Amino acid sequence: MQTTLNLPLIPSEVFFTRGWGNGRSKDISRRLALRAAGIGDYNIVNVDDAILPPKCKVISRFAGLSKLRRGEFIFCVLSCSSDSEPNRLVSSAVGWAWTPDTEQDGFVSRCALNGQTGIKTGDEAEDLAATMLASNLGIEFDPEKAWREREETYQAAGQDIRTSRLFQSRRCGPDKNIWTTVVTAAVFLM
């Protein structure tokens, strides 16, 4: 059976997912985290950060996973953090920013921080997505200011930038021989 690859590949839908796993090796814990996120049975093509195309619909994790077939190649903005240091906090997040204008691109970013809470990591990913979207829109801003402070600048420039995030955090156990991995992902459907 021959498959035709239709180019360009432009996502029409995206869903967000997360998971965590423990294992005797970093690789095992990562595979278990991907499985917990529901994307362990797919061939993952990891994208650093991504443009959220105009009219790309955000759907639920359940709806997104139901459209995939085992072994399929999927494009993701994947954030992953692993550690085996006892009681170490690991966290990962994806953040996204968009405008209500359905003809305007959005932006998806990722962040992984060890020793930081999931909320802090989520804030960083969300801030990066908003910063990159503002840059794409040509809005002048001070990158030293936090997202909430810059939000006023964006509104003053006539842009309503909206943001969200998904994070996963987990504390490593007391055994230094057990790895803990957390993952978050934005999964694009063509």
Side-chain angles (χ1 to χ4, degrees):
M1 181 170 118
Q2 185 174 358
T3 302
T4 303
L5 183 62
N6 295 323
L7 296 175
L9 298 174
I10 299 175
S12 59
E13 296 175 316
V14 63
F15 69 92
F16 300 90
T17 187
R18 65 184 177 182
W20 65 272
N22 289 332
R24 291 256 171 224
S25 73
K26 185 177 181 179
D27 288 337
I28 291 171
S29 70
R30 183 177 185 278
R31 293 305 306 166
L32 292 173
L34 290 169
R35 181 157 292 152
I39 56 176
D41 293 331
Y42 305 100
N43 295 301
I44 296 172
V45 179
N46 195 7
V47 183
D48 239 1
D49 294 312
I51 296 295
L52 195 56
K55 300 179 184 172
C56 183
K57 184 178 176 186
V58 176
I59 61 174
S60 72
R61 174 186 172 185
F62 178 79
L65 290 173
S66 71
K67 294 180 179 197
L68 298 175
R69 293 182 304 177
R70 186 181 172 97
E72 182 176 346
F73 279 84
I74 58 173
F75 291 85
C76 299
V77 174
L78 178 68
S79 180
C80 181
S81 183
S82 301
D83 210 315
S84 64
E85 181 182 325
N87 299 313
R88 178 79 162 168
L89 187 61
V90 292
S91 62
S92 69
V94 289
W96 57 103
W98 71 97
T99 69
D101 179 355
T102 59
E103 298 302 316
Q104 180 60 51
D105 292 334
F107 202 86
V108 181
S109 64
R110 65 182 175 173
C111 183
L113 298 171
N114 286 359
Q116 297 292 329
T117 66
I119 292 171
K120 170 74 171 151
T121 306
D123 286 347
E124 289 290 325
E126 188 175 10
D127 183 51
L128 178 58
T131 299
M132 296 312 299
L133 180 56
S135 176
N136 287 353
L137 294 172
I139 299 172
E140 298 278 334
F141 62 91
D142 181 355
E144 297 303 313
K145 289 184 179 177
W147 156 244
R148 302 299 174 222
E149 294 175 76
R150 282 187 275 141
E151 192 172 24
E152 293 174 17
T153 303
Y154 303 150
Q155 289 172 347
Q159 291 292 336
D160 181 12
I161 294 179
R162 300 182 184 180
T163 64
S164 193
R165 67 182 189 242
L166 179 69
F167 59 85
Q168 178 71 60
S169 62
R170 190 82 180 166
R171 192 164 298 282
C172 295
D175 184 347
K176 67 179 180 178
N177 296 314
I178 300 294
W179 282 83
T180 298
T181 298
V182 293
V183 298
T184 49
V187 181
F188 294 98
L189 303 175
M190 306 304 160

